Amino acid sequence: MRKETTQAVALWGNRAPAHSITAMMITDDQKTIVTGSLEGQICLWHLSIDMKVTSKAILFGHTAAITCLARAREFEKQPYVVSGSENGEMCVWNVNTGHCIENAKLPYRHTAICYYHCSFRMTGEGWLLCCGHYQDILIVDAKTLQVLHTFKSQCSDWICCMCIVHSTRIQDSLVSISAAGELKVWDLSSSVTSIQEKLNVYETESKSLEMTNYCAVRFCTFTERLLLVICSSSWKVYDYCDFSLLCTDVCKSGQNFSGGEFLAANRLIIWTQDGHSYIYQLLNSGLSKSVCPGDGGLLKETITPHLLCSTRVTKEQSSLCTMGFMNERKEPFFKILYAGDLTGQLSFWHIPDVPVTQFDGSPLEIPLKVNVTLQEMFDRYKSMSEGIIDHLCNPNEGPAFAMVTASLYIPSLDKLVCGCEDGSIVITFALHAARARLLQDHPLLRGSLPHKIFGGHDSSLTSLLYPHGRSEKYDPSWLISGDQNSSIIWRDIFTGEIFHKFIMQSGAILKLLVPPHDYKVKLFQSIYCVCSDNSVALLNLQERACFFHARKHLFPVKSLKWHPVEEVLVVGCEDGSVYVWETESGTVVF
């Protein structure tokens, strides 16, 4: 039997899709920018030699927010990047072609990934060393995405941040910091055989740093001696040989550090959550002699940090940014500080090779080099100016429909249902609409492509549901729609006749669902809705009434599970809390 495949095509109008940036990286050749979003999409951008940015592609493969990005191979040989999401999905992408090379779903939420490969010790494509909302370090095969083993700790804890230490003087190591403030070091070079033989591998070094809210740890490849540790309130430089403290500085009032990197042997750059960054000069290497013993966290020889420069931040920039630094390009050589925020804005600064202060000794402000959004890319290319239903209007009359805010494809009917910002619902033939948009032959179809427009809502549509597509127990003519003002309309998809309108008074209707097919036969004509006030409601279509409404959740609802026998609904929230409801009585039982 031949396996049938469906080619997915995404179409947009003149408004770019939401792309709230949660993760960002630049590939080793500094030609491709990769951004992951809260919406689950990954965007590829081209970075030219003169630092001009253009969008290349949007990649679909995740169903939850992106939490981390990292390279997944030796980039010169294979231009692969790995992405991780909130729900444990992992994907390996070829950033040159946009193809997904491998994917898997693991019961782990990663917050950081480091790629490691040692050609003369390891077979295969190497390891993806992962940390996140679980204990210790997970070792994942870079090719198959299968879990190989775990770097264990004598005192297991969540790992906040980590980095790989490459040095000509010592063996390759993995340095990490736990949530409790323990700095831990695993020897990578000597662990290959133990991992292959499934033996326990514990840390070789451990030190309590007595700090909180760790953000990053970085090894200085220029000196092969310094270790930078950053927490939200301060940053510190340690001697990697004995972990003695060499230098420290605190964050300005009202700001929080979020990361940093070494620019040179005696210079480093530190950035904050709100997109600011600061370049410091370390006035003394601190390694020439030891004034005090290295134990007990005492300073050896104080490295005095001197603030050289800071970067200019636009007023439009979001208060929450993801940032990074790149300086690996050989020709032409760029040192690039980059940032992405929740509004979808990308910002780039060209860091000078030798940062200096102003003539009076005050910090020099580095201007913003590039600032771009996905919407600017859509505006630049006029070919993207029409949406999938815009061609239904008469060109002399202007746009007929407001922005599409919710959409639904019904394969069995070949129907495309579009809910609009003005509350209207447009229904047309999906394949005809896509053909008109893709092949640009819509002038031939204007006025002849069948479509229907239904009213009933007085605010923006937020969710659509075709119940028959989820279960054959529902009538094939039913369509359910929810809007921003907490209204839900049950109608006939063919005639537009409204059977009933539910007024929930619970904020926007975020999601419409049907219970599992084996759940309570007497409720087979019921639907669930998740609302923006964190509540969940059960609507009985047969009785045209709200049968059950759970309102006690303190955080947004993330998942719903139904008991196959008992009248019980389990609700999971974003903060990890779980509520167990009796739907018959409407009370919380757990």
Side-chain angles (χ1 to χ4, degrees):
M1 182 181 293
R2 193 182 73 165
K3 185 178 180 180
E4 295 184 0
T5 60
T6 301
Q7 182 65 45
V9 179
L11 302 174
W12 291 279
N14 55 5
R15 297 193 189 184
H19 189 68
S20 309
I21 298 173
T22 54
M24 186 176 180
M25 67 171 290
I26 298 179
T27 56
D28 290 359
D29 60 0
Q30 286 193 356
K31 293 181 180 179
T32 303
I33 306 159
V34 187
T35 55
S37 68
L38 192 66
E39 294 75 22
Q41 288 86 34
I42 292 174
C43 190
L44 302 181
W45 311 72
H46 176 69
L47 181 63
S48 66
I49 294 178
D50 55 353
M51 289 190 69
K52 290 184 179 179
V53 179
T54 53
S55 58
K56 294 199 308 183
I58 297 180
L59 309 181
F60 295 86
H62 288 283
T63 58
I66 306 300
T67 56
C68 53
L69 295 165
R71 67 187 182 104
R73 297 290 194 280
E74 297 296 338
F75 196 82
E76 293 182 357
K77 299 177 181 178
Q78 294 177 302
Y80 292 174
V81 166
V82 63
S83 56
S85 67
E86 288 269 6
N87 59 355
E89 296 168 340
M90 294 183 72
C91 294
V92 176
W93 307 89
N94 183 326
V95 296
N96 286 350
T97 64
H99 292 157
C100 182
I101 306 303
E102 190 61 61
N103 67 88
K105 186 171 183 178
L106 305 175
Y108 305 98
R109 182 186 183 274
H110 309 307
T111 55
I113 300 175
C114 293
Y115 174 73
Y116 177 70
H117 184 249
C118 184
S119 57
F120 62 89
R121 286 192 178 96
M122 304 171 64
T123 58
E125 301 295 344
W127 296 340
L128 298 175
L129 305 177
C130 309
C131 69
H133 293 182
Y134 46 87
Q135 291 184 339
D136 301 326
I137 305 290
L138 207 63
I139 305 173
V140 177
D141 188 287
K143 183 177 182 179
T144 65
L145 298 183
Q146 294 180 346
V147 178
L148 299 176
H149 207 40
T150 303
F151 281 132
K152 296 184 178 295
S153 174
Q154 299 291 345
C155 184
S156 294
D157 195 3
W158 286 13
I159 302 298
C160 295
C161 52
M162 61 182 178
C163 72
I164 292 178
V165 171
H166 292 288
S167 172
T168 57
R169 300 183 299 104
I170 56 178
Q171 291 183 326
D172 292 345
S173 302
L174 178 70
V175 179
S176 71
I177 304 177
S178 71
E182 292 289 327
L183 187 146
K184 305 173 186 292
V185 180
W186 283 271
D187 191 335
L188 294 174
S189 302
S190 62
S191 301
V192 175
T193 302
S194 298
I195 296 300
Q196 293 172 345
E197 296 177 357
K198 303 296 183 181
L199 301 176
N200 288 338
V201 179
Y202 292 94
E203 70 270 30
T204 56
E205 297 280 351
S206 180
K207 176 182 175 63
S208 178
L209 300 182
E210 299 178 353
M211 293 160 51
T212 58
N213 299 322
Y214 295 92
C215 308
V217 56
R218 292 291 182 267
F219 179 70
C220 181
T221 57
F222 304 99
T223 63
E224 296 189 344
R225 187 73 180 267
L226 302 179
L227 191 70
L228 172 64
V229 175
I230 303 169
C231 69
S232 60
S233 60
S234 64
W235 59 263
K236 299 177 185 290
V237 175
Y238 291 88
D239 186 338
Y240 184 66
C241 293
D242 58 9
F243 299 113
S244 56
L245 181 62
L246 302 176
C247 176
T248 184
D249 199 10
V250 297
C251 191
K252 291 183 177 180
S253 176
Q255 292 185 334
N256 290 305
F257 289 136
S258 61
E261 189 60 83
F262 284 98
L263 297 177
N266 57 353
R267 285 189 298 273
L268 51 84
I269 183 169
I270 309 292
W271 51 83
T272 65
Q273 288 183 353
D274 57 2
H276 291 82
S277 67
Y278 305 94
I279 298 176
Y280 296 89
Q281 175 85 27
L282 306 181
L283 301 183
N284 191 317
S285 68
L287 301 174
S288 58
K289 60 180 180 178
S290 177
V291 176
C292 300
D295 56 351
L298 298 177
L299 292 176
K300 298 174 73 176
E301 182 178 359
T302 304
I303 305 176
T304 304
H306 178 58
L307 182 60
L308 296 176
C309 306
S310 63
T311 54
R312 183 180 303 165
V313 179
T314 61
K315 294 181 180 180
E316 297 79 13
Q317 201 163 40
S318 170
S319 59
L320 194 61
C321 295
T322 177
M323 300 185 71
F325 179 77
M326 183 76 177
N327 66 344
E328 297 182 8
R329 192 175 215 168
K330 295 181 180 179
E331 189 64 37
F333 189 85
F334 284 149
K335 293 182 178 180
I336 301 174
L337 176 69
Y338 54 88
D341 63 25
L342 292 179
T343 67
Q345 180 177 244
L346 279 70
S347 303
F348 299 85
W349 295 265
H350 184 185
I351 304 300
D353 290 337
V354 183
V356 295
T357 61
Q358 299 188 73
F359 292 113
D360 60 359
S362 60
L364 180 69
E365 188 177 62
I366 300 174
L368 186 67
K369 180 71 174 180
V370 179
N371 191 38
V372 67
T373 63
L374 196 58
Q375 184 61 55
E376 291 178 25
M377 298 296 105
F378 272 57
D379 295 339
R380 184 181 302 176
Y381 299 107
K382 301 302 181 182
S383 61
M384 300 293 290
S385 62
E386 285 204 353
I388 193 168
I389 62 173
D390 289 346
H391 58 275
L392 299 177
C393 69
N394 188 314
N396 297 323
E397 298 175 356
F401 308 114
M403 182 180 72
V404 175
T405 54
S407 61
L408 174 68
Y409 173 51
I410 307 175
S412 61
L413 303 178
D414 186 31
K415 296 288 187 183
L416 176 66
V417 184
C418 295
C420 300
E421 192 176 32
D422 63 357
S424 62
I425 296 177
V426 181
I427 302 178
T428 185
F429 289 107
L431 296 182
H432 283 72
R435 177 174 177 264
R437 178 63 184 89
L438 288 172
L439 303 182
Q440 299 293 313
D441 60 355
H442 51 271
L444 301 176
L445 296 176
R446 280 189 175 130
S448 62
L449 182 62
H451 66 279
K452 296 178 180 179
I453 304 175
F454 298 147
H457 289 280
D458 57 4
S459 64
S460 174
L461 270 292
T462 55
S463 54
L464 293 165
L465 174 68
Y466 181 61
H468 185 74
R470 301 293 181 180
S471 173
E472 294 182 354
K473 296 178 180 179
Y474 294 86
D475 193 294
S477 66
W478 291 356
L479 176 69
I480 315 294
S481 55
D483 65 24
Q484 189 72 31
N485 283 350
S486 201
S487 297
I488 298 174
I489 293 181
W490 167 35
R491 75 170 80 230
D492 189 306
I493 193 173
F494 301 109
T495 65
E497 177 188 355
I498 297 177
F499 302 128
H500 190 70
K501 185 173 183 178
F502 299 88
I503 307 297
M504 301 304 301
Q505 296 181 347
S506 302
I509 308 300
L510 302 181
K511 190 179 297 184
L512 295 167
L513 305 163
V514 300
H517 66 279
D518 57 351
Y519 178 75
K520 288 297 176 183
V521 176
K522 71 176 184 179
L523 297 179
F524 79 96
Q525 288 188 344
S526 299
I527 64 167
Y528 278 87
C529 64
V530 179
C531 307
S532 62
D533 67 346
N534 306 336
S535 67
V536 177
L538 171 62
L539 306 180
N540 191 306
L541 301 181
Q542 189 175 19
E543 298 181 5
R544 304 189 180 193
C546 179
F547 181 77
F548 161 78
H549 202 163
R551 294 180 177 271
K552 294 185 178 181
H553 312 121
L554 300 179
F555 292 87
V557 174
K558 191 174 183 179
S559 60
L560 301 175
K561 299 292 182 181
W562 292 264
H563 196 284
V565 179
E566 300 179 9
E567 295 180 353
V568 171
L569 173 66
V570 182
V571 179
C573 298
E574 282 189 359
D575 68 329
S577 59
V578 176
Y579 297 77
V580 180
W581 293 87
E582 276 189 356
T583 56
E584 185 72 25
S585 62
T587 58
V588 179
V589 296
F590 182 75

